Amino acid sequence: MLSTPEVKSELVRFPVQSTGERVAEVATILRLAGGLHTISGRIALEAELHTPQIVQRVRKDLAELYGIRSDAKQLPPSSTRPGAPQFLVRVLDGETLARQLGLLDQRRRQIRGLPNRLTTGAQAELAAIWRGAFLARGGLTAPGRSANLEIVCPSNEVAMALVGAASRIGVDAKSREIRGQHKVLIRDSEAISEMLGLIGAQEARKNWDELRRARETRATANRLVNFDDANLRRSAQASVAACARVERAMELLGDSIPEHLRYAGELRLTHREASLDDLGARADPPLTKDAVAGRIRRLLAMADKEAEVRGVPGTEASLPDELDRI
């Protein structure tokens, strides 16, 4: 079963050579996973992350791109809940870095969305934004009734920025507020597959497509089984009804039944579950399906007419109560 940790494990190993892509990814991670705090009069940049591998990737980017040394520590167990981030990365003197990343505006306030220069970047940088978003706060639900790829965002502005970035790389995403959380959702299975490929999770994309095809195959098989079951039920019901009406017709007409109609009626009663095609093949000489149906129809009509003349119940009176009138 494809899981969120498996996707993140693959993404954290994805090699990025372009400086623009590395900046887009790390800036997005820090925006979604962290925040700016004032500690002893200095602005500190913090991010809560899920795995040591993501921590290592972020610290490496900060060191190689900006020459920044960051601290990392594991959060105490009492402060974590299932699925919550377990590690903290902190840059104590983070104001300069925050400005370089575009996370601070000119008034030293944290931006509400994502840096504009990132969301208007090239296709590869837009994909890097989404890779960073998934590493920070992404989740994947495997193909099924509620399959989706989601990103939990700190604000509606961040969510809208991610929706716009997805649109620019050709993937349809929606922003929703769910139980007080701002989320970006991709719910179409093909769109999820496309996004997984774009952000660098090729193995996850392959597994996703296999799961999706398996689900579609099962769904098709279930529909066919249900269709066949429904057809069998209708066929059995029709057979029971036809035999009941033929028996009543033979009773009403007695010896006055024309021989060719009697033969068709007896054929029906002898082979109760056979189709009209089978009845025609069993006849001697063989008859077509239409010929058998026509003879039985005339037999029932003759019997119903006789019943009307005599003022007695016709052939439908013999139908079991649970069957529809045919």
Side-chain angles (χ1 to χ4, degrees):
M1 181 64 70
L2 186 61
S3 67
T4 298
E6 288 173 341
V7 179
K8 291 187 177 183
S9 177
E10 182 178 1
L11 289 179
V12 84
R13 300 192 306 271
F14 181 76
V16 181
Q17 304 299 330
S18 162
T19 298
E21 292 176 51
R22 294 179 72 184
V23 169
E25 180 186 307
V26 73
T28 304
I29 290 176
L30 294 174
R31 179 67 185 94
L32 270 72
L36 301 174
H37 305 281
T38 301
I39 301 177
S40 301
R42 294 183 298 176
I43 293 180
L45 181 59
E46 296 182 341
E48 295 182 351
L49 304 170
H50 287 85
T51 69
Q53 292 77 21
I54 301 175
V55 169
Q56 182 180 3
R57 186 176 177 98
V58 169
R59 296 184 72 196
K60 180 181 178 183
D61 282 342
L62 292 178
E64 294 182 357
L65 294 172
Y66 300 101
I68 297 291
R69 181 183 179 277
S70 58
D71 298 319
K73 69 174 184 178
Q74 186 165 1
L75 296 170
S78 59
S79 67
T80 62
R81 61 189 182 281
Q86 299 180 31
F87 302 90
L88 177 71
V89 172
R90 174 184 290 161
V91 178
L92 272 176
D93 195 2
E95 182 173 351
T96 300
L97 174 62
R99 288 185 183 280
Q100 289 175 311
L101 290 171
L103 300 179
L104 269 184
D105 65 16
Q106 294 179 347
R107 297 183 180 180
R108 302 180 72 205
R109 297 176 305 187
Q110 179 167 281
I111 63 169
R112 295 188 60 81
L114 291 175
N116 185 62
R117 68 173 180 270
L118 299 185
T119 57
T120 57
Q123 296 266 316
E125 293 171 357
L126 295 170
I129 288 175
W130 265 83
R131 182 168 54 254
F134 194 91
L135 286 171
R137 291 294 182 267
L140 181 69
T141 304
R145 189 170 297 178
S146 59
N148 69 77
L149 186 155
E150 72 172 32
I151 309 291
V152 179
C153 301
S155 69
N156 183 54
E157 288 82 359
V158 171
M160 295 308 298
L162 286 176
V163 169
S167 177
R168 292 192 63 197
I169 55 178
V171 178
D172 184 39
K174 304 292 184 185
S175 173
R176 297 283 186 272
E177 185 175 349
I178 302 173
R179 292 188 291 276
Q181 287 186 318
H182 297 285
K183 293 186 177 184
V184 177
L185 303 172
I186 303 176
R187 285 183 167 153
D188 179 76
S189 287
E190 291 187 14
I192 292 174
S193 174
E194 181 71 14
M195 181 59 82
L196 288 173
L198 287 169
I199 64 179
Q202 294 296 343
E203 189 62 30
R205 180 183 189 178
K206 178 182 175 183
N207 293 338
W208 176 272
D209 288 339
E210 289 175 356
L211 289 169
R212 181 163 58 92
R213 283 193 292 268
R215 177 178 175 270
E216 290 173 352
T217 299
R218 287 195 300 271
T220 300
N222 288 338
R223 284 195 297 270
L224 290 174
V225 167
N226 292 337
F227 179 76
D228 288 343
D229 286 347
N231 278 345
L232 288 172
R233 285 194 298 272
R234 284 193 292 269
S235 177
Q237 186 182 52
S239 176
V240 170
C243 289
R245 292 190 66 190
V246 167
E247 285 179 337
R248 175 61 177 165
M250 304 280 265
E251 177 187 334
L252 285 168
L253 296 174
D255 295 337
S256 65
I257 307 175
E259 188 57 34
H260 67 294
L261 300 186
R262 181 188 297 277
Y263 182 69
E266 290 174 345
L267 201 61
R268 173 75 282 173
L269 296 178
T270 302
H271 307 286
R272 290 175 177 264
E273 297 184 3
S275 66
L276 291 174
D277 278 328
D278 289 339
L279 291 181
R282 293 172 184 275
D284 185 20
L287 299 170
T288 66
K289 169 185 175 180
D290 290 340
V292 174
R295 291 187 183 188
I296 292 177
R297 196 161 47 245
R298 289 195 295 276
L299 171 64
L300 298 178
M302 181 180 294
D304 285 334
K305 186 175 181 179
E306 176 66 19
E308 186 179 353
V309 170
R310 290 160 52 181
V312 297
T315 57
E316 289 192 351
S318 62
L319 289 175
D321 292 339
E322 67 272 15
L323 292 179
D324 296 328
R325 298 302 190 208
I326 298 181

